[in-house]
Amino acid sequence: MPPRLRPRLRRLPRPLRLPRVPIGSPLQLLLLVCSFALAAYAGVRLLADDWFGVALWFVGAALLHDLVLLPLYTAADRAAVRGLGAIRRREWVLYVRVPAALSGLLLLVWFPLISGRVERRYRLGTGLPADVFPARWLLITAVLFGGSALLLALRLRRLRRLRRAAKHRPPTVH
């Protein structure tokens, strides 16, 4: 039918829609509610015995992180970026950041055992020697950095192969 012979339809106004709230699926909501309930239960149990000691520990940990650790690892990261930037390899920073962050996290979590400060208490509580933790942490750190170096070498090899293939490919005519 030609456009001038078509019957003209009157458009109805669209109903007003409220903006959608991104609340997720029912399963996500259930998991979120359960995690809040578990956190509340853990908080009540934790604060029931020595609430002042727990609060003091949290404040001390926050201050230690913000005033000591954050400037230290920020300076180390900037040094890595500058050092790798000086040799025009800034994209390699991620291959240093990830194993360093994981190694630092392991050191933070297991520091009392790695430093040997609680060796006697650990031996009395478990019957196991605690002198293996420093060597194991160093081994895990070496494996993390070695794996990262291997991934970087594989990436560089793949890029070199792609460049060689692109160099030897005949030009296409459009």
Side-chain angles (χ1 to χ4, degrees), residues 160-171:
R160 201 173 300 127
R161 196 178 308 151
L162 289 173
R163 284 183 189 144
R164 251 188 269 139
K167 192 179 198 180
H168 297 298
R169 189 177 306 138

Side-chain angles (χ1 to χ4, degrees), residues 54-113:
V54 172
L56 187 65
W57 186 87
F58 271 108
V59 170
L63 288 175
L64 175 72
H65 175 265
D66 291 349
L67 298 178
V68 177
L69 295 177
L70 182 66
L72 280 177
Y73 60 73
T74 301
D77 184 62
R78 286 187 181 165
V81 169
R82 278 194 201 115
L84 291 171
I87 60 170
R88 300 178 199 268
R89 299 289 186 231
R90 271 186 93 164
E91 66 273 6
W92 293 2
V93 172
L94 192 61
Y95 293 93
V96 175
R97 278 181 185 161
V98 171
L102 292 173
S103 177
L105 182 64
L106 287 173
L107 178 64
L108 185 67
V109 170
W110 298 105
F111 182 75
L113 290 168

Side-chain angles (χ1 to χ4, degrees), residues 3-174:
R4 60 187 170 93
L5 297 177
R6 284 189 198 144
R8 194 156 194 156
L9 296 176
R10 198 178 117 218
R11 289 190 170 208
L12 297 173
R14 284 185 158 174
L16 290 176
R17 289 189 181 187
L18 297 174
R20 289 192 58 190
V21 178
I23 56 172
S25 70
L27 180 62
Q28 286 175 331
L29 290 174
L30 178 66
L31 289 174
L32 186 65
V33 168
C34 289
S35 66
F36 279 130
L38 181 63
Y41 172 74
V44 167
R45 292 290 305 245
L46 186 65
L47 295 173
D49 296 333
D50 183 22
W51 68 269
F52 183 74
V54 172
L56 187 65
W57 186 87
F58 271 108
V59 170
L63 288 175
L64 175 72
H65 175 265
D66 291 349
L67 298 178
V68 177
L69 295 177
L70 182 66
L72 280 177
Y73 60 73
T74 301
D77 184 62
R78 286 187 181 165
V81 169
R82 278 194 201 115
L84 291 171
I87 60 170
R88 300 178 199 268
R89 299 289 186 231
R90 271 186 93 164
E91 66 273 6
W92 293 2
V93 172
L94 192 61
Y95 293 93
V96 175
R97 278 181 185 161
V98 171
L102 292 173
S103 177
L105 182 64
L106 287 173
L107 178 64
L108 185 67
V109 170
W110 298 105
F111 182 75
L113 290 168
I114 292 171
S115 67
R117 291 181 175 214
V118 293
E119 186 173 349
R120 184 171 177 268
R121 193 177 341 162
Y122 183 77
R123 187 181 306 270
L124 289 174
T126 63
L128 300 172
D131 58 347
V132 297
F133 282 95
R136 288 181 182 172
W137 175 74
L138 287 173
L139 180 66
I140 290 171
T141 299
V143 167
L144 286 170
F145 276 97
S148 183
L150 180 66
L151 286 174
L152 177 62
L154 291 173
R155 176 183 176 216
L156 292 175
R157 183 177 170 204
R158 188 185 69 203
L159 286 174
R160 201 173 300 127
R161 196 178 308 151
L162 289 173
R163 284 183 189 144
R164 251 188 269 139
K167 192 179 198 180
H168 297 298
R169 189 177 306 138
T172 57
V173 178
H174 295 286

